Amino acid sequence: PERIIIEATGRLEMPFIMACAKANLPFVIANPIHIKRFAGAIGQRAKTDRLDAQLIAHYGEAIKPNLSQLKPDTMQTMSDLVARRNQLLVMQTMEKNRLQILPKNLAMTIKPILTAFKNQITKIENKILELIERCPDYQAKNTILQSMNGIGKIASASLISNLPELGYMTNKQASALVGVAPMNRESGRFKGHRKIQGGRHQVRTVLYMAMMSAIQSNPVFKETYQRLVAAGKPKKVAIIACVRKMVVILNSMLRDGVLWEAPKA
């Protein structure tokens, strides 16, 4: 086969494309939004499993999307590197907390460990950047993500590794997957405050830190944050709302393959 096309379904397609990659078969992970638009363009409205399969095949013949360059070992290596960096950051934070509460004469037992953590984190980050540079698929995503002020190399790597569905789903699904979509708490006459819950906490933590930078350097998020705080929202709630907006925008950027453009004054 010249091109095997499977629609992205939110990681359910991963075992299939891993098998394709190991068997050296050419595959494409098609964006469901693009296929839906293609169906609209050719006037296909009916929807069954057989028609969906024919539609995806027709999309491949007509559009001839580029083959994916992702390799199983590349995907696994990226995931392992980001996971290891998160582990080192957790241990680094623990040691920093101990430095604050232990007597000063014991600081000498902690500072060398913090230095070692810092060096290892830097090495991991360099490996992540090297991996992104070697992989065209990662490189294209990285360019789009980092075009937004506030998204740096680590936030981009975390999104690429821990949220590969980004760009292949609706904005509501993206917000829920990160865990920044507010959930209702109502039962009978009781109406509680809506709270976020679930989602991928590693991504949420990285984006929370990215937003701390974005509300200083990105006029869109700065204006949103200041408006919410002025309206009486707690600062943390305002930041999470901005993160949700960031996720929605990034999802749309990756879906459409466009770079960030700040609105003109």
Side-chain angles (χ1 to χ4, degrees):
E2 295 180 0
R3 184 180 282 103
I4 299 172
I5 302 186
I6 185 169
E7 191 176 36
T9 57
R11 285 191 170 178
L12 293 177
E13 75 281 359
M14 291 302 289
F16 177 78
I17 65 170
M18 293 280 278
C20 285
K22 289 179 179 178
N24 292 318
L25 294 172
F27 65 91
V28 175
I29 307 172
N31 191 321
I33 300 296
H34 295 171
I35 293 176
K36 185 177 181 180
R37 290 174 178 172
F38 180 77
I42 64 174
Q44 179 170 322
R45 294 188 177 183
K47 185 174 177 61
T48 66
D49 288 343
R50 182 180 291 275
L51 288 175
D52 281 349
Q54 291 174 348
L55 173 65
I56 294 171
H58 188 187
Y59 169 82
E61 289 176 342
I63 304 300
K64 292 182 171 54
N66 294 331
L67 297 176
S68 175
Q69 301 298 315
L70 285 175
K71 304 297 181 185
D73 56 341
T74 301
M75 290 185 280
Q76 187 62 55
T77 299
M78 172 63 86
S79 180
D80 291 343
L81 286 171
V82 173
R84 182 55 183 160
R85 180 180 180 275
N86 289 337
Q87 292 169 358
L88 290 170
L89 286 174
V90 169
M91 292 187 286
Q92 183 187 56
T93 300
M94 292 170 65
E95 287 299 290
K96 285 182 177 179
N97 291 339
R98 293 186 184 108
L99 187 62
Q100 299 297 321
I101 61 176
L102 288 176
K104 290 184 178 181
N105 62 333
L106 292 177
M108 65 181 66
T109 67
I110 295 179
K111 289 182 178 180
I113 296 176
L114 288 175
T115 300
F117 280 142
K118 182 179 179 180
N119 292 338
Q120 291 302 315
I121 290 170
T122 300
K123 288 181 180 180
I124 293 289
E125 290 175 350
N126 289 335
K127 288 183 178 181
I128 289 173
L129 294 176
E130 290 171 6
L131 187 62
I132 289 174
E133 289 299 319
R134 291 200 308 268
C135 178
D137 285 27
Y138 286 159
Q139 197 172 33
K141 277 190 171 185
N142 184 56
T143 299
I144 292 173
L145 292 170
Q146 288 204 53
S147 68
M148 175 186 281
N149 290 349
I151 296 294
K153 57 184 180 181
I154 298 305
S156 176
S158 181
L159 288 168
I160 291 171
S161 174
N162 294 322
L163 200 65
E165 303 95 332
L166 199 64
Y168 295 96
M169 51 189 168
T170 66
N171 292 335
K172 287 185 178 180
Q173 290 172 332
S175 298
L177 203 55
V178 176
V180 290
M183 302 297 179
N184 291 336
R185 299 174 65 239
E186 298 179 359
S187 179
R189 295 183 178 180
F190 172 77
K191 295 184 181 297
H193 293 292
R194 294 196 301 170
K195 294 184 177 181
I196 61 171
Q197 61 184 25
R200 297 179 187 167
H201 67 89
Q202 302 98 329
V203 178
R204 187 167 61 251
T205 299
V206 169
L207 291 183
Y208 187 93
M209 298 307 297
M211 184 51 63
M212 298 296 288
S213 171
I215 58 178
Q216 301 296 326
S217 61
N218 191 313
V220 171
F221 298 114
K222 183 177 183 179
E223 187 277 331
T224 301
Y225 174 76
Q226 292 177 341
R227 173 169 49 80
L228 290 171
V229 172
K233 297 291 185 183
K235 291 183 178 180
K236 285 188 177 181
V237 172
I239 292 175
I240 290 297
C242 289
V243 171
R244 183 167 63 253
K245 183 172 183 175
M246 174 182 275
V247 170
V248 167
I249 294 174
L250 290 174
N251 185 57
S252 299
M253 288 167 57
L254 288 176
R255 180 193 65 208
D256 299 330
V258 298
L259 299 177
W260 165 262
E261 284 188 15
K264 298 179 181 179

